[in-house]
Structures are given as structure tokens and as C-alpha cells.
Amino acid sequence: MATIRLTKEFTFEAAHFLEDYDGVCSQLHGHSYRLYVTVRGIPSDDELDPKNGMVIDFGYLKQLVNDAIISEFDHSLIMQRSERAMALEQLLSEEFSRIVVLPYRPTTENLLADFAERLLEVLPDDVEIFSLRLHETGASYAEWYASDNI
């Protein structure tokens, strides 16, 4: 049977800032992110398998991505761990619970690398990530390809 790629799109809203950046993105601002997850594999050919003909059930892929990424990042403030971020987190945490503090600068590129690691941990062994694409705006995105990261 042929190897097939399939893609599912996810959206989430999040705010961030790039501390010590030399442009306007150093200010707190938000994005309507669009994440495209493309996986590949060989569809099941087991006649007794309820997932016969599928690489992975789209519903199961949705659950995995939601659990590993979307549930944490949607409607959150994303910050790199620093003294400034810790002070801001302490100030905001009395009113807001969706604050994500990361060990890296929350650029689209770094988020993609993190998302890839998270998905590699939860995808079934017979399903591979082919690529990830994360749109920060309608016209700006970054891509991660498994073939570039072997």
C-alpha cells in the first residue's frame, strides 16, 4: 500500500512579547496562530480494523494535538523565563491563569521546534510527522520538516 500524507489545521489565540527584541514585537501583543500538522504513514489494510484505510483517524490526531499543544497555548500569554517575565507572571497570575513560561524566546520558529518534540512523543509509532507549519499572521509563517531534523 502507498504512503499517504494527511494534514489537519488547528487555530489558537495567544499573546507574547520578545524580550530585548529590537522592534515592535518587544511589546506585548497577540496573534491568531494557525498550525498545520502533516503526518504520513501507510493506511491500515486490516479488514477487521475499524480504522481500515486510515493512516490515523483525524479525530484522534485532533485529540493528540489538542492535548499536547492547543490546550496549553490557546488564549494564553507566552513568555520566556526571565526576571521580567517572573515579575509579570506574579503580577498577572492573581487575575489570569493562562500564563505559559518557556525556557526559550517564544518566536514562531522556537514554538515550532517545541511543538514537533511534543508531537513526536505522542504520535503512534506507525505515524510520522512529515511537517509542521505555524502561521503567526496571514502572511508570515515558519515550517518544520522532519527530513531537515533527522
Side-chain angles (χ1 to χ4, degrees):
M1 189 153 221
T3 298
I4 303 292
R5 295 181 197 138
L6 56 96
T7 301
K8 183 138 184 75
E9 178 182 0
F10 300 85
T11 60
F12 63 98
E13 309 293 327
H16 74 153
F17 62 91
L18 303 179
E19 192 168 342
D20 299 322
Y21 179 69
D22 60 356
V24 295
C25 290
S26 65
Q27 300 299 306
L28 183 61
H29 62 285
H31 294 288
S32 295
Y33 288 97
R34 288 189 352 250
L35 173 64
Y36 295 86
V37 175
T38 301
V39 297
R40 74 176 183 180
I42 298 173
S44 170
D45 62 357
D46 180 352
E47 293 292 331
L48 301 176
D49 184 356
K51 307 301 184 199
N52 183 344
M54 297 181 185
V55 171
I56 186 171
D57 185 298
F58 278 113
Y60 185 51
L61 180 59
K62 178 180 178 180
Q63 176 188 338
L64 292 175
V65 175
N66 281 335
D67 290 350
I69 299 167
I70 307 301
S71 65
E72 181 177 354
F73 287 88
D74 189 32
H75 285 81
S76 68
L77 170 58
I78 306 167
M79 301 183 291
Q80 179 178 9
R81 184 173 307 284
S82 69
E83 286 184 30
R84 180 178 174 201
M86 295 300 95
L88 186 56
E89 180 184 26
Q90 185 174 7
L91 176 70
L92 294 175
S93 64
E94 292 180 23
E95 295 290 328
F96 304 101
S97 61
R98 299 191 61 81
I99 299 171
V100 178
V101 180
L102 301 168
Y104 58 82
R105 185 183 250 190
T107 62
T108 302
E109 298 90 333
N110 286 336
L111 288 168
L112 261 183
D114 181 10
F115 295 172
E117 287 181 26
R118 291 168 184 244
L119 292 176
L120 287 168
E121 291 178 11
V122 299
L123 281 172
D125 291 339
D126 59 342
V127 177
E128 301 172 348
I129 299 175
F130 177 77
S131 66
L132 302 176
R133 175 188 275 192
L134 182 61
H135 284 254
E136 187 176 88
T137 67
S140 302
Y141 62 89
E143 293 178 305
W144 181 97
Y145 283 88
S147 62
D148 296 337
N149 291 282
I150 295 175

